């Protein structure tokens, strides 16, 4: 729920309208900047998996990164937000996400599912590679 024009209470669904491109844009009077793009969760689609910075998609628009410990529910959160059971791969075994997985939300909006840290039972050199990959993502991505 949010506050609408003249102090009326409105739900988030009533604040947005769908435009032909499939990207939701705010209606006038909602407080969002004119022309702002809002993710279209229902249109989420896998883009690519990257093991190095050079493989990342162009750094344009908005990107929401999911980062945390192994087996913390990052992929499950992505699936819940997009209302898709298997968009992001989930597993009971820690360390299954070994690359950064990018998902498009229409327009220039993306989700990024980063490898977890902590519980994965993998060789130390692989953990170090994940650390460098996540570090390069967090330090160099502007979106």
């Amino acid at each position: 729920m949010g506050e609408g024009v003249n102090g009326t209470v409105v739900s988030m669904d009533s604040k947005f309208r769908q435009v032909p491109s499939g990207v939701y844009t705010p209606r006038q009077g909602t407080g969002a900047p004119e022309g702002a793009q809002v993710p279209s969760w229902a249109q989420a689609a896998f883009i690519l998996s990257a093991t190095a910075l050079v493989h990342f998609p162009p750094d344009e628009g908005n990107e929401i990164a999911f980062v945390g410990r192994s087996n913390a529910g990052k992929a499950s959160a992505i699936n819940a937000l997009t209302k898709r059971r298997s968009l992001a791969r989930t597993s009971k075994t820690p360390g299954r996400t070994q690359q950064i997985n990018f998902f498009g939300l229409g327009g220039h909006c993306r989700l990024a599912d980063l490898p977890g840290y902590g519980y994965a039972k993998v060789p130390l050199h692989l953990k170090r590679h994940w650390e460098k990959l996540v570090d390069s993502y967090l330090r160099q991505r502007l979106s």
Side-chain angles (χ1 to χ4, degrees):
M1 295 286 200
E3 190 173 304
V5 180
N6 297 329
T8 59
V9 176
V10 294
S11 70
M12 288 297 282
D13 291 337
S14 68
K15 282 189 171 187
F16 299 99
R17 62 181 167 81
Q18 188 170 10
V19 294
S21 68
V23 175
Y24 288 86
T25 57
R27 289 187 181 152
Q28 288 184 347
T30 61
E34 187 63 34
Q37 290 188 344
V38 178
S40 177
W41 302 102
Q43 292 186 349
F46 175 77
I47 299 173
L48 61 86
S49 292
T51 57
L53 183 66
V54 297
H55 301 131
F56 293 174
D59 196 1
E60 303 168 343
N62 300 311
E63 199 163 87
I64 302 168
F66 289 78
V67 63
R69 293 186 70 88
S70 297
N71 241 29
K74 298 178 297 294
S76 295
I78 290 171
N79 290 338
L81 286 169
T82 60
K83 297 183 177 151
R84 307 261 302 277
R85 284 185 169 186
S86 59
L87 178 65
R89 182 175 182 214
T90 60
S91 174
K92 292 183 180 186
T93 306
R96 290 294 182 211
T97 302
Q98 299 188 2
Q99 311 92 9
I100 296 180
N101 298 307
F102 292 91
F103 304 91
L105 298 176
H108 291 290
C109 298
R110 289 174 308 282
L111 300 176
D113 183 14
L114 281 66
Y117 53 89
Y119 299 119
K121 289 182 170 58
V122 296
L124 188 58
H125 76 277
L126 189 53
K127 281 187 181 183
R128 297 290 179 245
H129 172 72
W130 294 347
E131 287 175 10
K132 289 178 185 175
L133 179 64
V134 170
D135 185 66
S136 67
Y137 175 89
L138 295 173
R139 290 183 186 274
Q140 298 182 29
R141 292 295 272 190
L142 300 175
S143 57

